[in-house]
Amino acid sequence: IEDFEEAVRLDRRTLQQREDLFGVDEDGTCNSRKNLACNLFYLGKFKEAQTLFQKNVEIKKKLSSLGRADLIDDDSDSEQWLEDCATARKELEAKDHKHTHTSPERKKAPKKASNSLEKAKATSPSLKVDNSKDRKRSASASSGSKRRSADAGKSPSISAPIPHRIKTDQEKAAWDKHTRTSLNSDGPGDSSSSSQGPRQEVRKSRSDLELKPASTSKSSLGLENSTELSRSGSTSSQKGSRQPNKNAFPKLFDVRDGIEGHIDSATADEWFEDLEEKTQSILDEGRQDENGRPTLGRRIKIAILDTEIDMEHPDMKSYKQRIKGRKSWVDSGKDDEDTCGHGTHAAALVLKVARKAYVYIARVVRGYDDKDFQTSNVVQAIQWARDQSKVDIITMSMGMRHDDEIASAINYAAADGILFFAAASNVGATKLHPIAFPAKLNNVISIGSANGNGRRSEFNPYDPGRRKINYNALGEQVKAAWPKRLNQGTHRRMSGTSTAAPIAAAIAALSLEFVYSERPFRNPMITQKYLQGIRKRIKSFDGMSSILDFMVVHDDQHDWILPSVLFDASRAEELECTVGDLRESAMQKLREQLFS
């Protein structure tokens, strides 16, 4: 009862797993749906709760009509829950209607009354007035006026009906506390709309408190009829021309240049050799049919939000067929050259690791000291990657101050099944907030760095107990393409979480490529329906996290993602099997990890 938000998060995950494995009308699935609906009700999300309860009631009626009511537990109180939801929503709408039609004279009345009392006390010293009540009225009027001016259009304070299943005084107290917070703070239970995008509520992040939408589900955000906002509209465009946010200067997380001949440069190169020998060999099995002829398959799409790329570089020319889109939001889109090198280096790493993926380049920042940076660049780039490019993954090797519009854009895209990766920061973005935004968001996979031996990099931000750095990937002394026009060589070694983030995103792309392979598996249990469940699950924060969890090597000497943990063709000789057998085994491991 004391942590409904965490309960909702876990219940969503459980419901998704059960629906994928057992279907929507299985007994356990219905129980999971009911648990989620109850906790949503406690949070004041009556509309979504009502939808879930209604679904259970309809399933029960359908099974009863087919003479199969015994296949589902008794769920008679779901109808009572539906009544509670309807009552709460009606009261919410009534309160909102009353608040909307309150005249200005009525709103100012408490203030006038308070002024009258003050005047009466000044002219009649003998007049006895209850000062405590006067102070309360005055404070209430003052705070109400400020709240109305600052939060115009928000729903008024309301109290929801106590659910019929809450019996004890302790339960009632907890219910009152949570509903008062969620309903009186313009939370997700509010049915009114706002030009600022989805309703926001305060949620505790793994690192600190931050503003996040209540859910990445479109229905729970009230977006069923808001395609104009979620698909084509930009929150920034509704406000007119935005001025640069002087508190949001971006940081590109390269901690230092690499050094040729450094001990870690050799181990970094070995990482790529290991990837080629062990991991790519297994994936190659799915890139061709039984006769060894190449198959097109589904190409994974990755968007890189950075400083553009150097298309004149020899490496980029060889990758030209896989670079499917480029767009710049810097200088009104006129400048499409990488004058920094950061974006070229990141894109080269993605193209090298995910060697069958399509890449889309979005220029959102000039370089390390871009004082004209606008957060609307990032918002529009995310919308472009989602709506026009239809990408699977977005990676950002940068950080900035928290921005609600960027957070909303990320949440809309995550609801569409797009995976987000971001650099955690080097040494710490700030002392108070060591993990940068957007890496600290709960639906963004935050990436730290490791050296070529798998040791956590010393420049990683302080994150005790791994509260928010989700994973470490290779990020020290990594060699990749560098713009020729900068006259610093055609390749350069770089270190930082900026280097690790695109590598981690590319590893995720390899996992997606594996499950989307068109080459059938020999195991008769791996059917198309089976694969559809896996594909749906893996394209979520929790699903991809569970796969990366499996790839992590974490002990006294190592703390990083190592793809060969799941895909290791070198074991074929040791196990006296074929690479095809290892491909089958990898799918079985992946399935168990996703649904364990």
Side-chain angles (χ1 to χ4, degrees), residues 421-434:
F421 288 78
S425 82
N426 301 325
V427 187
T430 67
K431 291 182 179 179
L432 292 177
H433 304 290

Side-chain angles (χ1 to χ4, degrees), residues 264-277:
D264 286 335
S265 65
T267 55
D269 293 342
E270 289 172 3
W271 186 91
F272 287 98
E273 293 171 4
D274 184 81
L275 179 77
E276 188 68 27
E277 176 188 349

Side-chain angles (χ1 to χ4, degrees), residues 92 284 324 399 443 447 462 577:
L92 183 66
D284 282 340
K324 293 297 183 179
N443 56 359
I447 302 299
Y462 180 66
C577 63

Side-chain angles (χ1 to χ4, degrees), residues 367-383:
Y368 294 96
D369 299 310
D370 187 358
K371 294 184 179 181
D372 295 324
F373 170 76
Q374 297 188 31
T375 54
S376 61
N377 294 353
V378 179
V379 173
Q380 294 172 31
I382 292 173
Q383 292 172 341

Side-chain angles (χ1 to χ4, degrees), residues 226-234 237 383 386-387:
S226 301
T227 54
E228 189 171 1
L229 172 63
S230 64
R231 278 289 173 193
S232 59
S234 168
S237 65
Q383 292 172 341
R386 181 196 68 202
D387 299 336

Side-chain angles (χ1 to χ4, degrees), residues 477-541:
Q477 303 292 330
V478 182
K479 188 175 183 178
W482 197 256
K484 292 194 300 180
R485 65 173 59 89
L486 299 181
N487 297 319
Q488 297 170 340
T490 57
H491 292 81
R492 196 173 182 182
R493 292 191 183 273
M494 298 296 291
S495 297
T497 56
S498 272
T499 305
I503 289 178
I507 292 172
L510 293 179
S511 300
L512 289 177
E513 180 192 343
F514 179 72
V515 301
Y516 278 98
S517 170
E518 290 187 352
R519 180 171 178 174
F521 290 85
R522 295 194 304 269
N523 188 338
M525 295 293 292
I526 306 178
T527 62
Q528 280 301 312
K529 184 177 181 181
Y530 177 102
L531 288 172
Q532 287 172 5
I534 288 178
R535 291 165 182 168
K536 183 178 179 180
R537 176 76 178 135
I538 200 173
K539 288 198 67 181
S540 67
F541 177 91

